Amino acid sequence: PLCVIIDPSFLETLDDSQLLNGFAEILKHGLIADRKLWDELEINSVEELKDAQLIERAASIKLSIVEQDPNEKNIRKLLNFGHTLGHAIEGYAIEKEEPLAHGHAVALGMIAETYLSFKKEMITQTEMNQVITRLLSYYAVPEMNDDEIQMLVKLCGNDKKNESNKINCTLLSEIGKGSIDHFVATSEVTEAFQFLFSLNQ
């Protein structure tokens, strides 16, 4: 594209659930690339999401990453954080005819992939708890039984980024810094989903 034009006034046409849907991506950008942004993203009202400066900061992170790697060979994979497991949740919800908004599914994927980051000793338990507590304050975890979790794991296996029967995830090396190309076994993904759905209230 020659340019990207964003007019925040269009956000007035969206309900709160759609604003939170987009907020998931802003949270992701803070987690993978900007600790300062993440630290500022504790909102009290969805009205705060209509702030043009906030949108510009998040968009500039994505722009910078895409410009460096337009064909997703390397750093652009950072943008997949939360998406590998989140896409499986989103796809399964559609199959069940109980669609889940993309941002909500990605937020759930970020919780599960943050757990994987902790299990691989890339982040501390304190960091994991901080990320998960904030995400849970905006996004509810649906109920999912063991059979359904196995369906989700199977869906993860279909992801185009996988290699040699292992699932390729973008994880966190710290809050504000993503890390690409972590190949995880299906047993690890199963554990991450089990952890996520244990958080169902």
mmCIF file with all atom_site columns, all heavy atoms in Angstrom, residues 161-185:
data_model
loop_
_atom_site.group_PDB
_atom_site.id
_atom_site.type_symbol
_atom_site.label_atom_id
_atom_site.label_alt_id
_atom_site.label_comp_id
_atom_site.label_asym_id
_atom_site.label_entity_id
_atom_site.label_seq_id
_atom_site.pdbx_PDB_ins_code
_atom_site.Cartn_x
_atom_site.Cartn_y
_atom_site.Cartn_z
_atom_site.occupancy
_atom_site.B_iso_or_equiv
_atom_site.pdbx_formal_charge
_atom_site.auth_seq_id
_atom_site.auth_comp_id
_atom_site.auth_asym_id
_atom_site.auth_atom_id
_atom_site.pdbx_PDB_model_num
ATOM 1   N N   . LYS A 1 161 ? 2.741  -22.981 9.550  1.00 0.00 ? 161 LYS A N   1
ATOM 2   C CA  . LYS A 1 161 ? 4.081  -22.682 10.049 1.00 0.00 ? 161 LYS A CA  1
ATOM 3   C C   . LYS A 1 161 ? 4.758  -23.892 10.693 1.00 0.00 ? 161 LYS A C   1
ATOM 4   O O   . LYS A 1 161 ? 5.903  -23.824 11.090 1.00 0.00 ? 161 LYS A O   1
ATOM 5   C CB  . LYS A 1 161 ? 4.008  -21.532 11.062 1.00 0.00 ? 161 LYS A CB  1
ATOM 6   C CG  . LYS A 1 161 ? 3.455  -20.232 10.494 1.00 0.00 ? 161 LYS A CG  1
ATOM 7   C CD  . LYS A 1 161 ? 3.387  -19.141 11.534 1.00 0.00 ? 161 LYS A CD  1
ATOM 8   C CE  . LYS A 1 161 ? 2.385  -19.413 12.628 1.00 0.00 ? 161 LYS A CE  1
ATOM 9   N NZ  . LYS A 1 161 ? 0.990  -19.520 12.177 1.00 0.00 ? 161 LYS A NZ  1
ATOM 10  N N   . ASN A 1 162 ? 4.031  -25.011 10.797 1.00 0.00 ? 162 ASN A N   1
ATOM 11  C CA  . ASN A 1 162 ? 4.567  -26.169 11.499 1.00 0.00 ? 162 ASN A CA  1
ATOM 12  C C   . ASN A 1 162 ? 5.651  -26.884 10.695 1.00 0.00 ? 162 ASN A C   1
ATOM 13  O O   . ASN A 1 162 ? 5.698  -26.791 9.464  1.00 0.00 ? 162 ASN A O   1
ATOM 14  C CB  . ASN A 1 162 ? 3.441  -27.169 11.812 1.00 0.00 ? 162 ASN A CB  1
ATOM 15  C CG  . ASN A 1 162 ? 2.400  -26.569 12.741 1.00 0.00 ? 162 ASN A CG  1
ATOM 16  O OD1 . ASN A 1 162 ? 2.667  -25.591 13.422 1.00 0.00 ? 162 ASN A OD1 1
ATOM 17  N ND2 . ASN A 1 162 ? 1.221  -27.151 12.761 1.00 0.00 ? 162 ASN A ND2 1
ATOM 18  N N   . GLU A 1 163 ? 6.491  -27.616 11.403 1.00 0.00 ? 163 GLU A N   1
ATOM 19  C CA  . GLU A 1 163 ? 7.535  -28.426 10.770 1.00 0.00 ? 163 GLU A CA  1
ATOM 20  C C   . GLU A 1 163 ? 7.718  -29.716 11.551 1.00 0.00 ? 163 GLU A C   1
ATOM 21  O O   . GLU A 1 163 ? 7.702  -29.711 12.782 1.00 0.00 ? 163 GLU A O   1
ATOM 22  C CB  . GLU A 1 163 ? 8.879  -27.674 10.740 1.00 0.00 ? 163 GLU A CB  1
ATOM 23  C CG  . GLU A 1 163 ? 8.932  -26.506 9.773  1.00 0.00 ? 163 GLU A CG  1
ATOM 24  C CD  . GLU A 1 163 ? 10.288 -25.804 9.786  1.00 0.00 ? 163 GLU A CD  1
ATOM 25  O OE1 . GLU A 1 163 ? 11.269 -26.419 10.247 1.00 0.00 ? 163 GLU A OE1 1
ATOM 26  O OE2 . GLU A 1 163 ? 10.342 -24.652 9.352  1.00 0.00 ? 163 GLU A OE2 1
ATOM 27  N N   . SER A 1 164 ? 7.880  -30.838 10.813 1.00 0.00 ? 164 SER A N   1
ATOM 28  C CA  . SER A 1 164 ? 8.221  -32.130 11.420 1.00 0.00 ? 164 SER A CA  1
ATOM 29  C C   . SER A 1 164 ? 7.296  -32.492 12.585 1.00 0.00 ? 164 SER A C   1
ATOM 30  O O   . SER A 1 164 ? 7.748  -32.909 13.663 1.00 0.00 ? 164 SER A O   1
ATOM 31  C CB  . SER A 1 164 ? 9.670  -32.131 11.907 1.00 0.00 ? 164 SER A CB  1
ATOM 32  O OG  . SER A 1 164 ? 10.535 -31.796 10.860 1.00 0.00 ? 164 SER A OG  1
ATOM 33  N N   . ASN A 1 165 ? 5.986  -32.339 12.372 1.00 0.00 ? 165 ASN A N   1
ATOM 34  C CA  . ASN A 1 165 ? 4.990  -32.704 13.390 1.00 0.00 ? 165 ASN A CA  1
ATOM 35  C C   . ASN A 1 165 ? 5.100  -31.906 14.682 1.00 0.00 ? 165 ASN A C   1
ATOM 36  O O   . ASN A 1 165 ? 4.558  -32.299 15.709 1.00 0.00 ? 165 ASN A O   1
ATOM 37  C CB  . ASN A 1 165 ? 5.056  -34.204 13.710 1.00 0.00 ? 165 ASN A CB  1
ATOM 38  C CG  . ASN A 1 165 ? 4.682  -35.044 12.502 1.00 0.00 ? 165 ASN A CG  1
ATOM 39  O OD1 . ASN A 1 165 ? 3.777  -34.681 11.753 1.00 0.00 ? 165 ASN A OD1 1
ATOM 40  N ND2 . ASN A 1 165 ? 5.385  -36.139 12.298 1.00 0.00 ? 165 ASN A ND2 1
ATOM 41  N N   . LYS A 1 166 ? 5.815  -30.797 14.639 1.00 0.00 ? 166 LYS A N   1
ATOM 42  C CA  . LYS A 1 166 ? 5.864  -29.909 15.800 1.00 0.00 ? 166 LYS A CA  1
ATOM 43  C C   . LYS A 1 166 ? 5.194  -28.591 15.444 1.00 0.00 ? 166 LYS A C   1
ATOM 44  O O   . LYS A 1 166 ? 5.208  -28.168 14.291 1.00 0.00 ? 166 LYS A O   1
ATOM 45  C CB  . LYS A 1 166 ? 7.311  -29.688 16.257 1.00 0.00 ? 166 LYS A CB  1
ATOM 46  C CG  . LYS A 1 166 ? 7.911  -30.918 16.943 1.00 0.00 ? 166 LYS A CG  1
ATOM 47  C CD  . LYS A 1 166 ? 9.053  -30.516 17.862 1.00 0.00 ? 166 LYS A CD  1
ATOM 48  C CE  . LYS A 1 166 ? 9.430  -31.693 18.757 1.00 0.00 ? 166 LYS A CE  1
ATOM 49  N NZ  . LYS A 1 166 ? 10.456 -31.313 19.745 1.00 0.00 ? 166 LYS A NZ  1
ATOM 50  N N   . ILE A 1 167 ? 4.605  -27.978 16.447 1.00 0.00 ? 167 ILE A N   1
ATOM 51  C CA  . ILE A 1 167 ? 3.807  -26.774 16.236 1.00 0.00 ? 167 ILE A CA  1
ATOM 52  C C   . ILE A 1 167 ? 4.678  -25.548 16.493 1.00 0.00 ? 167 ILE A C   1
ATOM 53  O O   . ILE A 1 167 ? 5.308  -25.429 17.548 1.00 0.00 ? 167 ILE A O   1
ATOM 54  C CB  . ILE A 1 167 ? 2.575  -26.809 17.153 1.00 0.00 ? 167 ILE A CB  1
ATOM 55  C CG1 . ILE A 1 167 ? 1.677  -27.995 16.740 1.00 0.00 ? 167 ILE A CG1 1
ATOM 56  C CG2 . ILE A 1 167 ? 1.797  -25.497 17.083 1.00 0.00 ? 167 ILE A CG2 1
ATOM 57  C CD1 . ILE A 1 167 ? 0.633  -28.375 17.763 1.00 0.00 ? 167 ILE A CD1 1
ATOM 58  N N   . ASN A 1 168 ? 4.719  -24.643 15.506 1.00 0.00 ? 168 ASN A N   1
ATOM 59  C CA  . ASN A 1 168 ? 5.578  -23.463 15.571 1.00 0.00 ? 168 ASN A CA  1
ATOM 60  C C   . ASN A 1 168 ? 4.847  -22.313 16.270 1.00 0.00 ? 168 ASN A C   1
ATOM 61  O O   . ASN A 1 168 ? 3.814  -21.849 15.796 1.00 0.00 ? 168 ASN A O   1
ATOM 62  C CB  . ASN A 1 168 ? 5.991  -23.045 14.153 1.00 0.00 ? 168 ASN A CB  1
ATOM 63  C CG  . ASN A 1 168 ? 7.038  -21.943 14.159 1.00 0.00 ? 168 ASN A CG  1
ATOM 64  O OD1 . ASN A 1 168 ? 7.353  -21.359 15.183 1.00 0.00 ? 168 ASN A OD1 1
ATOM 65  N ND2 . ASN A 1 168 ? 7.583  -21.652 12.993 1.00 0.00 ? 168 ASN A ND2 1
ATOM 66  N N   . CYS A 1 169 ? 5.394  -21.866 17.384 1.00 0.00 ? 169 CYS A N   1
ATOM 67  C CA  . CYS A 1 169 ? 4.778  -20.780 18.149 1.00 0.00 ? 169 CYS A CA  1
ATOM 68  C C   . CYS A 1 169 ? 5.744  -19.606 18.305 1.00 0.00 ? 169 CYS A C   1
ATOM 69  O O   . CYS A 1 169 ? 6.957  -19.792 18.378 1.00 0.00 ? 169 CYS A O   1
ATOM 70  C CB  . CYS A 1 169 ? 4.401  -21.260 19.549 1.00 0.00 ? 169 CYS A CB  1
ATOM 71  S SG  . CYS A 1 169 ? 3.001  -22.388 19.613 1.00 0.00 ? 169 CYS A SG  1
ATOM 72  N N   . THR A 1 170 ? 5.178  -18.426 18.362 1.00 0.00 ? 170 THR A N   1
ATOM 73  C CA  . THR A 1 170 ? 5.911  -17.249 18.816 1.00 0.00 ? 170 THR A CA  1
ATOM 74  C C   . THR A 1 170 ? 5.634  -17.115 20.303 1.00 0.00 ? 170 THR A C   1
ATOM 75  O O   . THR A 1 170 ? 4.475  -17.132 20.730 1.00 0.00 ? 170 THR A O   1
ATOM 76  C CB  . THR A 1 170 ? 5.438  -15.993 18.055 1.00 0.00 ? 170 THR A CB  1
ATOM 77  O OG1 . THR A 1 170 ? 5.808  -16.119 16.681 1.00 0.00 ? 170 THR A OG1 1
ATOM 78  C CG2 . THR A 1 170 ? 6.064  -14.735 18.632 1.00 0.00 ? 170 THR A CG2 1
ATOM 79  N N   . LEU A 1 171 ? 6.704  -17.019 21.083 1.00 0.00 ? 171 LEU A N   1
ATOM 80  C CA  . LEU A 1 171 ? 6.564  -16.950 22.537 1.00 0.00 ? 171 LEU A CA  1
ATOM 81  C C   . LEU A 1 171 ? 7.166  -15.644 23.054 1.00 0.00 ? 171 LEU A C   1
ATOM 82  O O   . LEU A 1 171 ? 7.551  -14.788 22.264 1.00 0.00 ? 171 LEU A O   1
ATOM 83  C CB  . LEU A 1 171 ? 7.247  -18.164 23.179 1.00 0.00 ? 171 LEU A CB  1
ATOM 84  C CG  . LEU A 1 171 ? 6.723  -19.543 22.720 1.00 0.00 ? 171 LEU A CG  1
ATOM 85  C CD1 . LEU A 1 171 ? 7.502  -20.671 23.393 1.00 0.00 ? 171 LEU A CD1 1
ATOM 86  C CD2 . LEU A 1 171 ? 5.223  -19.696 22.993 1.00 0.00 ? 171 LEU A CD2 1
ATOM 87  N N   . LEU A 1 172 ? 7.211  -15.484 24.375 1.00 0.00 ? 172 LEU A N   1
ATOM 88  C CA  . LEU A 1 172 ? 7.772  -14.283 24.991 1.00 0.00 ? 172 LEU A CA  1
ATOM 89  C C   . LEU A 1 172 ? 9.077  -14.619 25.680 1.00 0.00 ? 172 LEU A C   1
ATOM 90  O O   . LEU A 1 172 ? 9.159  -15.600 26.426 1.00 0.00 ? 172 LEU A O   1
ATOM 91  C CB  . LEU A 1 172 ? 6.800  -13.700 26.023 1.00 0.00 ? 172 LEU A CB  1
ATOM 92  C CG  . LEU A 1 172 ? 5.437  -13.219 25.537 1.00 0.00 ? 172 LEU A CG  1
ATOM 93  C CD1 . LEU A 1 172 ? 4.601  -12.755 26.731 1.00 0.00 ? 172 LEU A CD1 1
ATOM 94  C CD2 . LEU A 1 172 ? 5.575  -12.101 24.515 1.00 0.00 ? 172 LEU A CD2 1
ATOM 95  N N   . SER A 1 173 ? 10.109 -13.788 25.445 1.00 0.00 ? 173 SER A N   1
ATOM 96  C CA  . SER A 1 173 ? 11.344 -13.935 26.210 1.00 0.00 ? 173 SER A CA  1
ATOM 97  C C   . SER A 1 173 ? 11.342 -12.980 27.401 1.00 0.00 ? 173 SER A C   1
ATOM 98  O O   . SER A 1 173 ? 12.117 -13.136 28.338 1.00 0.00 ? 173 SER A O   1
ATOM 99  C CB  . SER A 1 173 ? 12.575 -13.692 25.334 1.00 0.00 ? 173 SER A CB  1
ATOM 100 O OG  . SER A 1 173 ? 12.510 -12.429 24.731 1.00 0.00 ? 173 SER A OG  1
ATOM 101 N N   . GLU A 1 174 ? 10.458 -12.008 27.352 1.00 0.00 ? 174 GLU A N   1
ATOM 102 C CA  . GLU A 1 174 ? 10.153 -11.115 28.474 1.00 0.00 ? 174 GLU A CA  1
ATOM 103 C C   . GLU A 1 174 ? 8.945  -10.292 28.048 1.00 0.00 ? 174 GLU A C   1
ATOM 104 O O   . GLU A 1 174 ? 8.557  -10.306 26.876 1.00 0.00 ? 174 GLU A O   1
ATOM 105 C CB  . GLU A 1 174 ? 11.337 -10.199 28.813 1.00 0.00 ? 174 GLU A CB  1
ATOM 106 C CG  . GLU A 1 174 ? 11.753 -9.277  27.675 1.00 0.00 ? 174 GLU A CG  1
ATOM 107 C CD  . GLU A 1 174 ? 12.997 -8.459  28.005 1.00 0.00 ? 174 GLU A CD  1
ATOM 108 O OE1 . GLU A 1 174 ? 14.103 -9.012  28.002 1.00 0.00 ? 174 GLU A OE1 1
ATOM 109 O OE2 . GLU A 1 174 ? 12.827 -7.254  28.263 1.00 0.00 ? 174 GLU A OE2 1
ATOM 110 N N   . ILE A 1 175 ? 8.333  -9.580  28.986 1.00 0.00 ? 175 ILE A N   1
ATOM 111 C CA  . ILE A 1 175 ? 7.230  -8.701  28.599 1.00 0.00 ? 175 ILE A CA  1
ATOM 112 C C   . ILE A 1 175 ? 7.813  -7.570  27.770 1.00 0.00 ? 175 ILE A C   1
ATOM 113 O O   . ILE A 1 175 ? 8.713  -6.860  28.213 1.00 0.00 ? 175 ILE A O   1
ATOM 114 C CB  . ILE A 1 175 ? 6.493  -8.160  29.839 1.00 0.00 ? 175 ILE A CB  1
ATOM 115 C CG1 . ILE A 1 175 ? 5.798  -9.309  30.586 1.00 0.00 ? 175 ILE A CG1 1
ATOM 116 C CG2 . ILE A 1 175 ? 5.470  -7.092  29.431 1.00 0.00 ? 175 ILE A CG2 1
ATOM 117 C CD1 . ILE A 1 175 ? 5.125  -8.884  31.873 1.00 0.00 ? 175 ILE A CD1 1
ATOM 118 N N   . GLY A 1 176 ? 7.317  -7.426  26.538 1.00 0.00 ? 176 GLY A N   1
ATOM 119 C CA  . GLY A 1 176 ? 7.832  -6.405  25.637 1.00 0.00 ? 176 GLY A CA  1
ATOM 120 C C   . GLY A 1 176 ? 8.810  -6.950  24.623 1.00 0.00 ? 176 GLY A C   1
ATOM 121 O O   . GLY A 1 176 ? 9.352  -6.195  23.810 1.00 0.00 ? 176 GLY A O   1
ATOM 122 N N   . LYS A 1 177 ? 9.015  -8.278  24.629 1.00 0.00 ? 177 LYS A N   1
ATOM 123 C CA  . LYS A 1 177 ? 9.961  -8.865  23.683 1.00 0.00 ? 177 LYS A CA  1
ATOM 124 C C   . LYS A 1 177 ? 9.514  -10.270 23.285 1.00 0.00 ? 177 LYS A C   1
ATOM 125 O O   . LYS A 1 177 ? 9.539  -11.196 24.097 1.00 0.00 ? 177 LYS A O   1
ATOM 126 C CB  . LYS A 1 177 ? 11.363 -8.912  24.289 1.00 0.00 ? 177 LYS A CB  1
ATOM 127 C CG  . LYS A 1 177 ? 12.445 -9.324  23.289 1.00 0.00 ? 177 LYS A CG  1
ATOM 128 C CD  . LYS A 1 177 ? 13.820 -9.212  23.916 1.00 0.00 ? 177 LYS A CD  1
ATOM 129 C CE  . LYS A 1 177 ? 14.903 -9.581  22.908 1.00 0.00 ? 177 LYS A CE  1
ATOM 130 N NZ  . LYS A 1 177 ? 16.265 -9.527  23.521 1.00 0.00 ? 177 LYS A NZ  1
ATOM 131 N N   . GLY A 1 178 ? 9.100  -10.399 22.020 1.00 0.00 ? 178 GLY A N   1
ATOM 132 C CA  . GLY A 1 178 ? 8.702  -11.693 21.504 1.00 0.00 ? 178 GLY A CA  1
ATOM 133 C C   . GLY A 1 178 ? 9.889  -12.474 20.975 1.00 0.00 ? 178 GLY A C   1
ATOM 134 O O   . GLY A 1 178 ? 10.968 -11.923 20.746 1.00 0.00 ? 178 GLY A O   1
ATOM 135 N N   . SER A 1 179 ? 9.670  -13.771 20.781 1.00 0.00 ? 179 SER A N   1
ATOM 136 C CA  . SER A 1 179 ? 10.731 -14.662 20.305 1.00 0.00 ? 179 SER A CA  1
ATOM 137 C C   . SER A 1 179 ? 10.107 -15.672 19.353 1.00 0.00 ? 179 SER A C   1
ATOM 138 O O   . SER A 1 179 ? 9.145  -16.356 19.716 1.00 0.00 ? 179 SER A O   1
ATOM 139 C CB  . SER A 1 179 ? 11.390 -15.360 21.496 1.00 0.00 ? 179 SER A CB  1
ATOM 140 O OG  . SER A 1 179 ? 12.408 -16.234 21.078 1.00 0.00 ? 179 SER A OG  1
ATOM 141 N N   . ILE A 1 180 ? 10.633 -15.755 18.126 1.00 0.00 ? 180 ILE A N   1
ATOM 142 C CA  . ILE A 1 180 ? 9.994  -16.558 17.073 1.00 0.00 ? 180 ILE A CA  1
ATOM 143 C C   . ILE A 1 180 ? 10.572 -17.970 16.971 1.00 0.00 ? 180 ILE A C   1
ATOM 144 O O   . ILE A 1 180 ? 11.636 -18.268 17.506 1.00 0.00 ? 180 ILE A O   1
ATOM 145 C CB  . ILE A 1 180 ? 10.101 -15.853 15.702 1.00 0.00 ? 180 ILE A CB  1
ATOM 146 C CG1 . ILE A 1 180 ? 11.575 -15.741 15.271 1.00 0.00 ? 180 ILE A CG1 1
ATOM 147 C CG2 . ILE A 1 180 ? 9.418  -14.497 15.739 1.00 0.00 ? 180 ILE A CG2 1
ATOM 148 C CD1 . ILE A 1 180 ? 11.747 -15.250 13.829 1.00 0.00 ? 180 ILE A CD1 1
ATOM 149 N N   . ASP A 1 181 ? 9.826  -18.814 16.239 1.00 0.00 ? 181 ASP A N   1
ATOM 150 C CA  . ASP A 1 181 ? 10.268 -20.156 15.841 1.00 0.00 ? 181 ASP A CA  1
ATOM 151 C C   . ASP A 1 181 ? 10.574 -21.074 17.018 1.00 0.00 ? 181 ASP A C   1
ATOM 152 O O   . ASP A 1 181 ? 11.647 -21.663 17.126 1.00 0.00 ? 181 ASP A O   1
ATOM 153 C CB  . ASP A 1 181 ? 11.488 -20.070 14.910 1.00 0.00 ? 181 ASP A CB  1
ATOM 154 C CG  . ASP A 1 181 ? 11.123 -19.555 13.522 1.00 0.00 ? 181 ASP A CG  1
ATOM 155 O OD1 . ASP A 1 181 ? 9.940  -19.674 13.130 1.00 0.00 ? 181 ASP A OD1 1
ATOM 156 O OD2 . ASP A 1 181 ? 12.012 -19.030 12.831 1.00 0.00 ? 181 ASP A OD2 1
ATOM 157 N N   . HIS A 1 182 ? 9.599  -21.210 17.901 1.00 0.00 ? 182 HIS A N   1
ATOM 158 C CA  . HIS A 1 182 ? 9.709  -22.195 18.974 1.00 0.00 ? 182 HIS A CA  1
ATOM 159 C C   . HIS A 1 182 ? 8.791  -23.367 18.613 1.00 0.00 ? 182 HIS A C   1
ATOM 160 O O   . HIS A 1 182 ? 7.573  -23.214 18.555 1.00 0.00 ? 182 HIS A O   1
ATOM 161 C CB  . HIS A 1 182 ? 9.318  -21.583 20.315 1.00 0.00 ? 182 HIS A CB  1
ATOM 162 C CG  . HIS A 1 182 ? 10.295 -20.548 20.773 1.00 0.00 ? 182 HIS A CG  1
ATOM 163 N ND1 . HIS A 1 182 ? 11.449 -20.864 21.464 1.00 0.00 ? 182 HIS A ND1 1
ATOM 164 C CD2 . HIS A 1 182 ? 10.317 -19.209 20.586 1.00 0.00 ? 182 HIS A CD2 1
ATOM 165 C CE1 . HIS A 1 182 ? 12.134 -19.764 21.704 1.00 0.00 ? 182 HIS A CE1 1
ATOM 166 N NE2 . HIS A 1 182 ? 11.473 -18.736 21.183 1.00 0.00 ? 182 HIS A NE2 1
ATOM 167 N N   . PHE A 1 183 ? 9.401  -24.515 18.354 1.00 0.00 ? 183 PHE A N   1
ATOM 168 C CA  . PHE A 1 183 ? 8.631  -25.686 17.945 1.00 0.00 ? 183 PHE A CA  1
ATOM 169 C C   . PHE A 1 183 ? 8.275  -26.504 19.181 1.00 0.00 ? 183 PHE A C   1
ATOM 170 O O   . PHE A 1 183 ? 9.155  -26.955 19.914 1.00 0.00 ? 183 PHE A O   1
ATOM 171 C CB  . PHE A 1 183 ? 9.427  -26.509 16.932 1.00 0.00 ? 183 PHE A CB  1
ATOM 172 C CG  . PHE A 1 183 ? 9.574  -25.783 15.618 1.00 0.00 ? 183 PHE A CG  1
ATOM 173 C CD1 . PHE A 1 183 ? 10.663 -24.954 15.384 1.00 0.00 ? 183 PHE A CD1 1
ATOM 174 C CD2 . PHE A 1 183 ? 8.597  -25.883 14.644 1.00 0.00 ? 183 PHE A CD2 1
ATOM 175 C CE1 . PHE A 1 183 ? 10.786 -24.262 14.194 1.00 0.00 ? 183 PHE A CE1 1
ATOM 176 C CE2 . PHE A 1 183 ? 8.709  -25.192 13.448 1.00 0.00 ? 183 PHE A CE2 1
ATOM 177 C CZ  . PHE A 1 183 ? 9.805  -24.379 13.217 1.00 0.00 ? 183 PHE A CZ  1
ATOM 178 N N   . VAL A 1 184 ? 6.984  -26.647 19.423 1.00 0.00 ? 184 VAL A N   1
ATOM 179 C CA  . VAL A 1 184 ? 6.517  -27.308 20.639 1.00 0.00 ? 184 VAL A CA  1
ATOM 180 C C   . VAL A 1 184 ? 5.780  -28.595 20.295 1.00 0.00 ? 184 VAL A C   1
ATOM 181 O O   . VAL A 1 184 ? 5.102  -28.690 19.267 1.00 0.00 ? 184 VAL A O   1
ATOM 182 C CB  . VAL A 1 184 ? 5.612  -26.370 21.472 1.00 0.00 ? 184 VAL A CB  1
ATOM 183 C CG1 . VAL A 1 184 ? 6.402  -25.177 21.969 1.00 0.00 ? 184 VAL A CG1 1
ATOM 184 C CG2 . VAL A 1 184 ? 4.412  -25.902 20.668 1.00 0.00 ? 184 VAL A CG2 1
ATOM 185 N N   . ALA A 1 185 ? 5.935  -29.583 21.153 1.00 0.00 ? 185 ALA A N   1
ATOM 186 C CA  . ALA A 1 185 ? 5.297  -30.886 20.950 1.00 0.00 ? 185 ALA A CA  1
ATOM 187 C C   . ALA A 1 185 ? 3.801  -30.786 21.239 1.00 0.00 ? 185 ALA A C   1
ATOM 188 O O   . ALA A 1 185 ? 3.354  -29.904 21.990 1.00 0.00 ? 185 ALA A O   1
ATOM 189 C CB  . ALA A 1 185 ? 5.948  -31.914 21.858 1.00 0.00 ? 185 ALA A CB  1
#
